């Protein structure tokens, strides 16, 4: 059974930094693409960015609102993906989900999400 | 303002068929596959339909997807109370080089 477990969420001040982790099990981690998706409580889904599989070159793409502030990475030896979030803004407040799959073909596994709250 | 446009709400009575639309453009749905997600309140979204019309394993055949031009649709037949929730369409946008979601449709079973 595939499991994705996010961790690292919490309360941060604007301008601060936070690193989220996504620990995966039950799959061949090095061959999966990872996308991070966020959801403001009570609102819709927003794609944050993705990192392709190592086999596909581990290329990374970001959504415009986070480009230059967020960094996605992966450690295949630890079966873990990371979302480093810098220069946090109040509008980054959301539940952050880790997912697997090629976006165009569907994100087939989702973690339970971790809440990030940015507030002064 | 979402790149993909969905109606904010839909409803039906048990046993009815409902359809949820998703309107995009040539740079997203027009040139890529449409995917559909279901989210029950308080839980993570889950993939229902991928590559326009493929049901994920375990998804009842009451759910079906289609695509025509720059629009995609999700149809749910034999509506059941457990189908209540939020439904999102999604695809890749070649112009933005980004994943895009619709704004979501809240389905109510009356």
């Amino acid at each position: 059974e595939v499991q994705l477990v996010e961790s690292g969420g919490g309360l941060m001040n604007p301008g601060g930094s936070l690193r989220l982790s996504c620990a995966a099990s039950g799959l061949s981690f090095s061959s999966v693409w990872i996308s991070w998706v966020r959801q403001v409580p009570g609102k819709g889904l927003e794609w944050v960015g993705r990192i392709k599989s190592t086999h596909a070159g581990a290329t990374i793409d970001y959504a415009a609102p986070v480009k230059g502030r967020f960094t996605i990475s992966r450690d295949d030896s630890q079966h873990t993906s990371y979302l480093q979030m810098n220069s946090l803004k109040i509008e980054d407040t959301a539940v952050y989900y880790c997912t697997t799959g090629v976006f165009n073909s569907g994100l087939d596994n989702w973690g339970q999400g971790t809440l990030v709250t940015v507030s002064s | 303002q979402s790149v993909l446009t969905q109606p904010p709400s839909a409803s039906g009575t048990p046993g009815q068929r409902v359809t949820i639309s998703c309107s995009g453009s040539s740079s997203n749905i027009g040139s890529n596959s449409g995917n559909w997600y279901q989210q029950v309140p308080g839980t993570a979204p889950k993939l229902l339909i991928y590559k326009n019309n493929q049901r994920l394993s375990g998804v009842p055949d009451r759910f079906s997807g289609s695509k025509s031009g720059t629009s995609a649709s999700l149809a749910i037949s034999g509506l059941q109370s457990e189908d209540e929730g939020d439904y999102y369409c999604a695809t890749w946008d070649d112009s933005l080089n980004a994943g895009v979601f619709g704004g979501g449709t809240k389905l109510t079973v009356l």
Side-chain angles (χ1 to χ4, degrees):
Chain A
E1 180 195 2
V2 175
Q3 271 200 314
L4 301 174
V5 179
E6 301 94 337
S7 60
L11 175 63
M12 294 299 298
N13 290 327
S17 297
L18 200 60
R19 188 178 83 157
L20 306 183
S21 300
C22 169
S25 60
L27 48 72
S28 177
F29 187 77
S30 63
S31 64
V32 298
W33 296 30
I34 301 289
S35 274
W36 287 86
V37 175
R38 67 185 181 183
Q39 183 173 36
V40 174
K43 302 296 184 183
L45 302 173
E46 180 184 21
W47 180 79
V48 172
R50 71 160 181 206
I51 183 166
K52 295 183 180 178
S53 67
T54 300
H55 301 160
T59 309
I60 307 170
D61 294 295
Y62 298 97
V66 308
K67 198 168 186 178
R69 300 187 298 122
F70 288 13
T71 301
I72 297 173
S73 61
R74 64 188 301 150
D75 183 341
D76 290 347
S77 67
Q78 298 296 315
H79 289 205
T80 301
S81 175
Y82 302 98
L83 178 63
Q84 176 68 43
M85 304 185 294
N86 299 330
S87 302
L88 282 164
K89 303 177 180 181
I90 291 175
E91 52 264 39
D92 294 321
T93 294
V95 174
Y96 284 75
Y97 294 102
C98 166
T99 74
T100 65
V102 178
F103 196 94
N104 196 33
S105 301
L107 304 177
D108 52 0
N109 295 294
W110 293 64
Q112 84 288 353
T114 185
L115 176 63
V116 173
T117 303
V118 184
S119 175
S120 54
Chain B
Q1 208 97 353
S2 301
V3 172
L4 305 179
T5 301
Q6 297 180 234
S9 63
S11 62
T13 57
Q16 269 192 330
R17 173 186 167 94
V18 296
T19 301
I20 298 172
S21 62
C22 175
S23 177
S25 67
S26 58
S27 65
N28 43 67
I29 294 181
S31 51
N32 291 293
S33 300
N35 307 299
W36 290 91
Y37 299 87
Q38 177 194 55
Q39 185 177 33
V40 174
T43 68
K46 69 173 190 178
L47 180 65
L48 287 179
I49 301 289
Y50 63 100
K51 291 186 180 178
N52 302 321
N53 55 18
Q54 302 298 301
R55 274 186 304 277
L56 198 67
S57 176
V59 173
D61 58 8
R62 302 186 294 103
F63 293 86
S64 62
S66 63
K67 172 183 143 175
S68 178
T70 59
S71 293
S73 293
L74 173 71
I76 309 171
S77 60
L79 202 60
Q80 298 181 6
S81 57
E82 65 243 39
D83 298 333
E84 279 202 338
D86 298 315
Y87 291 81
Y88 296 90
C89 62
T91 189
W92 189 257
D93 190 295
D94 292 333
S95 293
L96 298 174
N97 194 37
V100 290
F101 287 95
T105 298
K106 183 177 182 61
L107 175 65
T108 302
V109 180
L110 302 170

